[in-house]
Amino acid sequence: MSTQTALIVVPPGFVLKEFTSFPSSHRLVVAEKVAKIERKVFPSSENFDYDIELKKKNIGLLLAFKEGEPDNLVAYLVYQRLKRQVWLHKLCVVEVRKGKGLGKFLIHSLNLKMKKGGCQNIQLWLDENRKPARALYASCGFQQLEYRPDYYSPGRPGLRMGLFIG
Ligand SMILES: CC(C)(COP(=O)(O)OP(=O)(O)OC[C@H]1O[C@@H](n2cnc3c(N)ncnc32)[C@H](O)[C@@H]1OP(=O)(O)O)[C@@H](O)C(=O)NCCC(=O)NCCS
């Protein structure tokens, strides 16, 4: 993973940005774009309140935009750093941009950033039924650490996955 991470490049036609790179005056607009995608993709019980979350110092947001179209948000990843551990809370690619390597790129970008920051592992909870996400995390080297049958709701299991940052 570390070798792959060192070589990772943004998929052609897209650009990566960090939320904190936007001027404060524009952050609300960006956060609203993220929240809009999220409402379409995740159950409402799992939606973040970005007004609150993005004010926390240890929460980070990586964003991918279509190159030359600064308003065209195509993917995002939300993470939280807790000492030497990182929780990957959300990862999402808009429907029309799936399968272009954006999901993998965002994970590798997080990995590289956290490695530089001295973190030891990335963990996440994942709905067992999200098959594309399971395939993505497996292809990035995540291992299953725990299974909880009713994690999301009764009968909706969750998997805790982990990746050692080498
Ligand atoms: C899961 C998700 C982030 C994948 O993003 P993506 O940009 O389409 O994925 P990538 O193109 O980077 O694919 C990387 C790997 O994931 C796997 N993968 C991705 N989509 C897949 C699919 N539909 N079926 C099977 N494998 C898939 C492949 O193994 C692929 O490996 P490859 O590059 O060797 O072919 C995207 O489908 C998504 O946003 N889903 C809805 C939200 C979600 O479930 N988020 C994760 C839980 S928080």
Side-chain angles (χ1 to χ4, degrees), residues 65-93:
F65 291 85
K66 189 88 180 69
E67 194 169 29
E69 298 177 27
D71 291 332
N72 193 349
L73 176 65
V74 294
Y76 67 88
L77 182 158
V78 180
Y79 65 90
Q80 182 168 31
R81 186 166 171 174
L82 296 167
K83 298 192 174 162
R84 293 168 83 81
Q85 183 162 306
V86 193
W87 281 92
L88 194 170
H89 286 311
K90 285 277 162 64
L91 171 63
C92 190
V93 177

Side-chain angles (χ1 to χ4, degrees), residues 27-28 31-32 35 48-56:
R27 287 186 190 176
L28 205 60
E32 184 45 43
F48 259 34
D49 185 336
Y50 283 95
D51 284 346
I52 295 173
E53 298 300 331
L54 291 173
K55 290 195 177 94
K56 295 179 183 168

Side-chain angles (χ1 to χ4, degrees), residues 4-160:
Q4 280 179 325
T5 303
L7 295 173
I8 189 80
V9 287
V10 60
F14 301 97
V15 289
L16 176 72
K17 292 205 167 192
E18 291 199 34
F19 184 67
T20 49
S21 73
F22 288 92
S24 324
S25 56
H26 197 56
R27 287 186 190 176
L28 205 60
V29 177
V30 176
E32 184 45 43
K33 281 186 194 299
V34 172
K36 195 173 167 188
I37 294 173
E38 186 148 319
R39 285 194 290 272
K40 281 192 194 154
V41 175
F42 295 99
S44 55
S45 58
E46 290 167 36
N47 287 354
F48 259 34
D49 185 336
Y50 283 95
D51 284 346
I52 295 173
E53 298 300 331
L54 291 173
K55 290 195 177 94
K56 295 179 183 168
K57 289 242 178 309
N58 64 345
I59 291 269
L61 176 57
L62 302 178
L63 304 143
F65 291 85
K66 189 88 180 69
E67 194 169 29
E69 298 177 27
D71 291 332
N72 193 349
L73 176 65
V74 294
Y76 67 88
L77 182 158
V78 180
Y79 65 90
Q80 182 168 31
R81 186 166 171 174
L82 296 167
K83 298 192 174 162
R84 293 168 83 81
Q85 183 162 306
V86 193
W87 281 92
L88 194 170
H89 286 311
K90 285 277 162 64
L91 171 63
C92 190
V93 177
V94 298
E95 194 61 39
V96 293
R97 305 295 177 189
K98 283 180 180 173
K100 297 182 185 303
L102 284 163
K104 203 173 222 178
F105 170 71
L106 285 176
I107 292 174
H108 285 175
S109 300
L110 176 68
N111 190 311
L112 186 59
K113 186 174 168 60
M114 290 302 120
K115 187 177 179 179
K116 283 181 186 159
C119 283
Q120 290 173 333
N121 68 72
I122 304 175
Q123 291 198 42
L124 58 92
W125 278 98
L126 170 68
D127 184 327
E128 189 193 31
N129 294 316
R130 288 191 180 273
K131 299 263 161 47
R134 284 178 68 179
L136 166 65
Y137 293 129
S139 84
C140 290
F142 280 81
Q143 307 278 332
Q144 184 176 322
L145 304 175
E146 192 181 340
Y147 173 87
R148 282 199 208 164
D150 302 318
Y151 180 78
Y152 286 97
S153 57
R156 211 178 133 216
L159 309 175
R160 183 163 63 89

